Amino acid sequence: MDLLRFFTREENIGGIEAHDAHIRVALLSLDKKTTTVSITALVEEPLPAGAIENGVVVKSELLVSALTRVLKKMPSKLRFAIVTIPAESVFHKIVSFPKTVRNEKLEEAMKLTVGFQLPRPIEEVYLDWEKSETSKTNEVLLAMVPKQVIDAYTGAFLAAGVHVVAVETHPMSIARSLATQAGEQSLLVAREGDRATIAIIEGQMLRFVRTVPGFIASDEKLLLNEIDRIRSFYEAESKRPVKRTYWMIEGDHAHGAGTLASLTQDNAKAIDLFAKHPVIEKNPCAWLSALGSAMRGLLPRGEDTIISLMPIGTEEAYIKQKALVFSEFIAA
């Protein structure tokens, strides 16, 4: 084997959505000459009840079994993945700094700030941050999650033969799939089963995330009231309007009567790119998380500075996982 080629060649990285009820895998390919993105695979597998609850792995053996089954449906072996998980167990917060705090100073300021911003001791969590893309503000999105939550996911994926390069949340992945405009604030409502996550997005960056209880998510009136309350509070705080609302509603609710409506092809980047794919045509909203994480997988590893809820950054994680794959090959 050519070792230099092994460690310098970037392999395809899939996007895998872990959800209480299912596992979905998306793999994309990029033609570098034409910059055309196409779908290599879209596969899914139901997840038995109790495997993941409220975004936390409860029965690892059930998750490993489901992952093993879904990966067998892939046209080729998938070694690496960006994993997207429910947002319930993840803490998000926007941290603001004066305009003069930039570059290295911003990095230093964040290191000093995080200890005062976290709801749990820093030694118990994985955390990362991402700077706002807008030039009008000097803000950073901070995200953190208990270590045991991520360790349970990465352990299960490794047991199924997949090396995790980065971990993000469903709203982060969905935001990447949407045709959001830089500097424009949008509201995302993602409802699956009896749960709903409400997020405020600016461009592709999260500014607010809340997962509402089942009794609110399953009652249209209560859900709409909660959405209006969040929108009003955020607009008052930010002094900027939320210009667009994206509805992502799966299952029977997507076609029901009332105010709630499913996300359309007109306002989803991922759906627009792949609208004619038969799997997406059947259930467009279902694939926004998996496709969003797969889009991230197309980025060159050295350019991926997006939040990853792991002990190390995505480029370092990718190199480490490739080394593990190589050691497994040698030991075989």
Side-chain angles (χ1 to χ4, degrees):
M1 174 182 287
D2 184 339
L3 297 185
L4 180 61
R5 180 175 181 274
F6 177 84
F7 282 106
T8 57
R9 179 175 60 91
E10 290 195 351
E11 293 197 27
N12 288 337
I13 299 175
I16 303 183
E17 176 199 357
H19 184 272
D20 293 15
H22 58 254
I23 299 293
R24 290 187 177 128
V25 184
L27 182 61
L28 304 176
S29 61
L30 172 65
D31 186 323
K32 293 184 178 180
K33 292 183 178 180
T34 64
T35 66
T36 301
V37 178
S38 58
I39 292 176
T40 301
L42 292 176
V43 296
E44 61 182 325
E45 180 72 19
L47 191 62
I52 297 176
E53 294 181 357
N54 300 318
V56 176
V57 177
V58 178
K59 296 181 179 178
S60 180
E61 67 279 7
L62 295 179
L63 176 57
V64 173
S65 297
L67 285 168
T68 302
R69 290 193 299 273
V70 76
L71 291 171
K72 287 182 179 178
K73 300 177 182 179
M74 296 290 290
S76 59
K77 185 175 179 61
L78 182 66
R79 298 179 186 272
F80 303 99
I82 307 290
V83 175
T84 178
I85 65 174
E88 287 99 316
S89 59
V90 180
F91 170 80
H92 303 84
K93 183 177 178 62
I94 291 289
V95 183
S96 300
F97 294 98
K99 283 279 193 178
T100 54
V101 180
R102 294 188 176 278
N103 303 323
E104 293 83 3
K105 289 183 179 180
L106 183 62
E107 187 82 10
E108 293 173 6
M110 278 302 299
K111 289 178 180 179
L112 292 172
T113 300
V114 291
F116 302 100
Q117 300 288 342
L118 301 181
R120 300 183 62 158
I122 193 168
E123 61 271 11
E124 296 180 5
V125 303
Y126 295 136
L127 60 87
D128 200 1
W129 58 80
E130 179 182 346
K131 191 179 183 305
S132 173
E133 295 179 356
T134 175
S135 60
K136 296 180 180 179
T137 61
N138 190 16
E139 296 173 321
V140 174
L141 172 64
L142 171 67
M144 82 89 193
V145 63
K147 288 181 177 179
Q148 64 265 30
V149 172
I150 298 301
D151 291 344
Y153 278 105
T154 55
F157 276 85
L158 186 58
V162 175
H163 298 265
V164 179
V165 176
V167 178
E168 60 185 21
T169 62
H170 293 171
M172 294 178 184
S173 303
I174 294 169
R176 196 173 299 114
S177 294
L178 299 176
T180 52
Q181 302 297 316
E184 181 179 281
Q185 296 194 130
S186 305
L187 188 144
L188 167 69
V189 183
R191 187 169 76 176
E192 298 169 288
D194 63 351
R195 184 177 63 209
T197 297
I198 304 168
I200 303 290
I201 304 166
E202 182 174 356
Q204 292 184 7
M205 189 175 192
L206 297 184
R207 299 192 62 85
F208 174 89
V209 183
R210 169 167 158 72
T211 299
V212 299
F215 76 92
I216 293 178
S218 58
D219 186 303
E220 182 172 320
K221 183 177 180 179
L222 290 178
L223 179 57
L224 290 171
N225 287 340
E226 183 68 11
I227 292 168
D228 287 341
R229 188 182 71 83
I230 290 172
R231 183 200 301 270
S232 298
F233 174 80
Y234 189 81
E235 288 182 335
E237 286 290 306
S238 67
K239 297 180 173 56
R240 289 183 292 169
V242 174
K243 293 186 176 181
R244 188 182 300 186
T245 299
Y246 295 98
W247 297 94
M248 178 184 159
I249 305 173
E250 282 200 54
D252 295 336
H253 295 295
H255 305 289
T259 307
L260 300 179
S262 63
L263 187 65
T264 67
Q265 292 185 7
D266 294 333
N267 54 22
K269 183 191 303 179
I271 295 177
D272 184 55
L273 283 172
F274 314 119
K276 295 183 180 179
H277 193 283
V279 175
I280 294 177
E281 280 186 322
K282 184 178 179 180
N283 194 356
C285 294
W287 291 95
L288 290 178
S289 290
L291 285 170
S293 55
M295 287 175 171
R296 179 174 179 176
L298 293 177
L299 292 174
R301 294 303 86 212
E303 297 178 13
D304 187 345
T305 58
I306 304 167
I307 282 176
S308 177
L309 297 168
M310 291 181 66
I312 54 179
T314 55
E315 183 177 14
E316 186 180 351
Y318 180 65
I319 293 171
K320 180 180 179 180
Q321 299 303 337
K322 289 196 77 173
L324 288 173
V325 169
F326 177 71
S327 63
E328 291 168 1
F329 175 81
I330 293 297

